[in-house]
Amino acid sequence: LDVGWFSNEIENLIFGVPSKSFQSFNIAQANTKGIEASVDAIVLGPSSDFGALTLNANYTWLSTRGDSDEANSTFARRRLLRRPKHEVYFGATWKPNDRFDVTTTVRWVSARLDVRPVGFTIIKADDYAVVDVMTRFEFIPGFEGYLRVDNVANENYEDVAGFRNGGLAAYVGVRLDFEIADLPLPKL
């Protein structure tokens, strides 16, 4: 178990917000503080009949505030935009043998303040959860293939209001790992 505390005092935070004139705003003073906690657990060891199973999770609590006293400051004395108060990540990796593994992750982000891209008013953006899955197979030592599927449930979500993140996406790839010393080099 790892737990950490952080606190930042920021002077002159420049923050760009979509508007009719694409203005930037200065928040004279901003504060962020929070707690991050993570835990890793080996549920089943590699010698298990089922194979190795590891779990990991982390949580972030974030408190933010713009403390500007400037007149007409839209962002004074309120939570900073686009910074969720809660974020949770959970992952599980199953490795039945040394050549194959499957990892599933879930990320949940709480509702947060943002700016509506039409009308430019401050809104509360929805929370969301995203599930990703990745599998890896080693064909021979130093040569492996992988398949990664992002946003398995095709969740319609936006990290920034008005900018939809990608839906379901799949990636296939190979990885070659070798030492230069292993290659025959021509004599000069």
Side-chain angles (χ1 to χ4, degrees):
L1 175 65
D2 292 317
V3 178
W5 163 263
F6 60 90
S7 179
N8 299 294
E9 293 185 16
I10 306 163
E11 292 182 11
N12 297 316
L13 175 65
I14 306 299
F15 194 80
V17 175
S19 65
K20 294 176 186 174
S21 60
F22 297 99
Q23 294 178 328
S24 293
F25 294 90
N26 179 39
I27 300 174
Q29 295 287 324
N31 297 302
T32 65
K33 61 184 175 186
I35 297 172
E36 293 181 324
S38 66
V39 64
D40 295 311
I42 299 172
V43 178
L44 296 172
S47 60
S48 156
D49 290 339
F50 184 69
L53 178 63
T54 58
L55 304 177
N56 58 17
N58 63 52
Y59 168 75
T60 301
W61 170 78
L62 177 64
S63 174
T64 68
R65 183 178 171 92
D67 286 329
S68 176
D69 288 328
E70 295 177 25
N72 301 322
S73 178
T74 307
F75 308 106
R77 307 222 184 283
R78 70 166 51 185
R79 182 168 186 80
L80 296 175
L81 300 181
R82 300 183 182 135
R83 287 156 175 93
K85 188 172 186 176
H86 305 282
E87 192 164 348
V88 178
Y89 169 91
F90 175 78
T93 299
W94 174 53
K95 190 172 185 177
N97 58 52
D98 288 338
R99 297 177 55 203
F100 176 73
D101 60 63
V102 177
T103 300
T104 301
T105 61
V106 178
R107 181 173 55 106
W108 175 77
V109 176
S110 69
R112 63 231 163 269
L113 295 178
D114 207 336
V115 176
R116 183 183 312 277
V118 177
F120 312 110
T121 56
I122 294 180
I123 61 168
K124 185 175 181 181
D126 294 333
D127 63 334
Y128 63 86
V130 179
V131 177
D132 301 325
V133 177
M134 188 184 105
T135 186
R136 178 199 61 85
F137 182 78
E138 183 179 56
F139 298 104
I140 59 173
F143 180 63
E144 61 188 33
Y146 70 87
L147 169 65
R148 188 179 90 209
V149 180
D150 291 346
N151 196 1
V152 171
N154 201 24
E155 176 76 14
N156 182 9
Y157 71 100
E158 298 174 347
D159 282 318
V160 175
F163 296 90
R164 184 179 183 272
N165 283 34
L168 174 70
Y171 306 90
V172 176
V174 294
R175 179 175 170 224
L176 183 60
D177 186 14
F178 59 90
E179 298 286 331
I180 296 292
D182 295 340
L183 296 176
L185 298 175
K187 294 182 180 180
L188 298 177

